[in-house]
């Protein structure tokens, strides 16, 4: 006699009774714990919120991320950091006195403890090259800060208000652009008798701000036409708030790029004026002064010229490379 078949809807108890069913459930639970992910019919996992995970990055955070990955920026920044350190503490690597000279060593080559040799006065060239970084870097940094602040202020106000202020700034800039900078330095600095760096800094700021002013003017004109500026005005924001909170942060990037590149140019300009005898004057130690004194002895003692000229070239190149890297990082068209 055949055994009766179970109905499809009826549950079939596995062999071993209730205890076996409980054991099977535990095995299934263990297998689910070992599973790498949810099953085919499982609900999708809810992502865990992380602070700042979905926060949009700003232009400056994107630029800093790109700069850290740019080897040109890293190399230039390391060179500039080294120059700043030896400018502030030159005796870390050159403990000697740059004004201590001995005519018995005049124009001699390298010697133990004096790797760069001696100049015409018997001064250690290595010590003068290291200590000369202070004057050149000080002139470049101070002149750049002054020109950037003055140019950004005048150019930003002219671009924001327009009308007669913009016309006056444009005509004044044309006058300064028409003055040859080297000829202007010869005329302006020839009547200055001071031996500090500040007359040279003042002259560079006087003739350097129009370039940055025009860049700031054009950047502000472009930024003030954006919708968020119009919305801020419609909400009743004043001119000061609109200019400082909405326009300036979005218009300052081109000014930073131009100022960074101009810093290297100002250092070379200081060396040029010192070479011509109207820039920094002794007893100030400067690369331009050393190059000027060594230019007449290039055949007899070329080391007197090569080392300060090489230091000047590396410094200018480092700042130009830094400016190019900053420009590429802040340019939205390259993203």
């Amino acid at each position: 006699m055949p055994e009766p078949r179970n109905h499809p809807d009826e549950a079939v108890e596995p062999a071993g009774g209730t205890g076996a069913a409980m054991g099977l459930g535990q095995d299934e639970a263990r297998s689910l714990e070992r599973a790498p992910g949810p099953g085919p019919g499982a609900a999708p996992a809810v992502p865990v919120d992380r602070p700042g995970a979905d926060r949009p990055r700003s232009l400056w955070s994107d630029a800093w991320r790109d700069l850290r990955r740019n080897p040109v920026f890293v190399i230039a920044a390391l060179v500039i950091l080294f120059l700043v350190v030896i400018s502030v503490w030159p005796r870390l690597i050159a403990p000697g006195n740059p004004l201590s000279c001995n005519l018995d060593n005049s124009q001699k080559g390298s010697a133990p403890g004096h790797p760069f040799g001696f100049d015409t006065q018997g001064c250690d060239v290595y010590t003068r090259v290291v200590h000369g970084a202070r004057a050149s870097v000080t002139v470049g940094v101070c002149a750049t800060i002054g020109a950037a602040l003055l140019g950004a202020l005048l150019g930003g106000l002219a671009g924001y208000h327009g009308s007669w202020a913009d016309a006056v700034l444009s005509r004044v800039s044309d006058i300064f652009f028409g003055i040859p900078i080297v000829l202007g330095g010869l005329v302006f600095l020839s009547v200055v008798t001071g031996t500090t760096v500040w007359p040279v800094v003042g002259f560079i700021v006087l003739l350097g701000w129009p370039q940055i002013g025009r860049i700031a003017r054009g950047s502000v004109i472009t930024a003030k036409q954006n919708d968020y500026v119009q919305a801020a005005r419609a909400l009743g924001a004043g001119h000061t708030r609109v200019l400082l909170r909405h326009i300036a942060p979005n218009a300052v990037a081109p000014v930073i790029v131009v100022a960074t590149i101009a810093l290297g140019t100002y250092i070379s300009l200081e060396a040029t004026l010192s070479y011509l005898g109207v820039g920094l004057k002794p007893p100030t130690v400067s690369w331009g002064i050393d190059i000027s004194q060594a230019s007449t002895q290039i055949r007899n003692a070329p080391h007197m010229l090569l080392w300060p000229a090489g230091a000047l070239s590396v410094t200018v190149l480092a700042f130009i490379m830094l400016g190019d890297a900053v420009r590429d990082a802040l340019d939205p068209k390259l993203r």
Side-chain angles (χ1 to χ4, degrees):
M1 182 176 180
E3 296 180 359
R5 302 177 61 182
N6 294 328
H7 193 272
D9 296 334
E10 293 180 359
V12 179
E13 183 179 356
T18 308
M22 293 179 62
L24 180 61
Q26 292 176 357
D27 294 338
E28 292 177 352
R30 294 192 188 97
S31 63
L32 290 177
E33 291 177 355
R34 292 193 300 267
V46 179
V48 180
D49 293 337
R50 291 178 298 176
D54 299 331
R55 185 182 303 171
R57 290 192 299 265
S58 64
L59 172 65
W60 301 104
S61 61
D62 285 342
W64 175 239
R65 182 190 61 181
D66 294 341
L67 288 175
R68 288 181 298 176
R69 299 176 180 178
N70 190 347
V72 175
F73 171 79
V74 174
I75 295 174
L78 291 176
V79 173
I80 293 173
L81 178 62
F82 173 74
L83 291 171
V84 172
V85 171
I86 66 173
S87 298
V88 179
W89 300 288
R91 297 187 181 276
L92 289 176
I93 60 174
N97 185 359
L99 302 179
S100 178
C101 306
N102 186 357
L103 289 176
D104 294 336
N105 298 323
S106 178
Q107 298 185 4
K108 287 184 178 180
S110 61
H114 308 279
F116 295 174
F118 301 88
D119 62 6
T120 304
Q121 302 297 325
C123 302
D124 184 21
V125 176
Y126 171 76
T127 304
R128 291 187 64 86
V129 168
V130 173
H131 285 259
R134 171 178 292 180
S136 298
V137 172
T138 300
V139 169
V141 171
C142 293
T144 301
I145 293 175
L149 291 178
L150 183 60
L153 177 62
L154 297 180
L157 292 176
Y160 179 76
H161 293 288
S163 185
W164 63 269
D166 191 11
V168 170
L169 177 71
S170 299
R171 301 294 77 79
V172 172
S173 300
D174 292 339
I175 294 174
F176 281 96
F177 278 124
I179 301 175
I181 192 164
V182 176
L183 179 60
L186 291 173
V187 175
F188 179 81
L189 296 175
S190 61
V191 299
V192 178
T193 59
T195 59
T196 62
V197 300
W198 303 116
V200 180
V201 171
F203 166 74
I204 296 177
V205 171
L206 181 63
L207 292 187
W209 72 266
Q211 179 186 12
I212 299 180
R214 284 198 170 184
I215 298 296
R217 169 186 173 273
S219 184
V220 169
I221 290 176
T222 302
K224 75 175 184 179
Q225 298 174 357
N226 293 325
D227 294 338
Y228 57 84
V229 176
Q230 305 299 329
R233 289 176 176 174
L235 293 174
H239 293 295
T240 303
R241 181 178 179 84
V242 170
L243 188 59
L244 297 180
R245 294 292 301 274
H246 301 284
I247 294 181
N250 296 281
V252 73
V255 176
I256 294 177
V257 172
V258 174
T260 306
I261 298 177
L263 200 156
T265 305
Y266 294 158
I267 292 177
S268 62
L269 176 60
E270 177 274 321
T272 302
L273 295 174
S274 299
Y275 176 83
L276 296 175
V278 296
L280 301 180
K281 301 177 179 62
T284 303
V285 181
S286 169
W287 292 334
I289 295 176
D290 291 347
I291 293 173
S292 177
Q293 294 176 353
S295 60
T296 58
Q297 304 294 332
I298 187 172
R299 292 186 178 181
N300 300 327
H303 64 274
M304 294 171 48
L305 177 64
L306 294 180
W307 291 113
L312 176 64
S313 300
V314 171
T315 302
V316 175
L317 179 62
F319 280 106
I320 292 178
M321 291 170 57
L322 181 70
D324 290 341
V326 172
R327 179 197 60 195
D328 295 339
L330 293 178
D331 191 355
K333 298 179 181 179
L334 300 178
R335 300 187 179 278

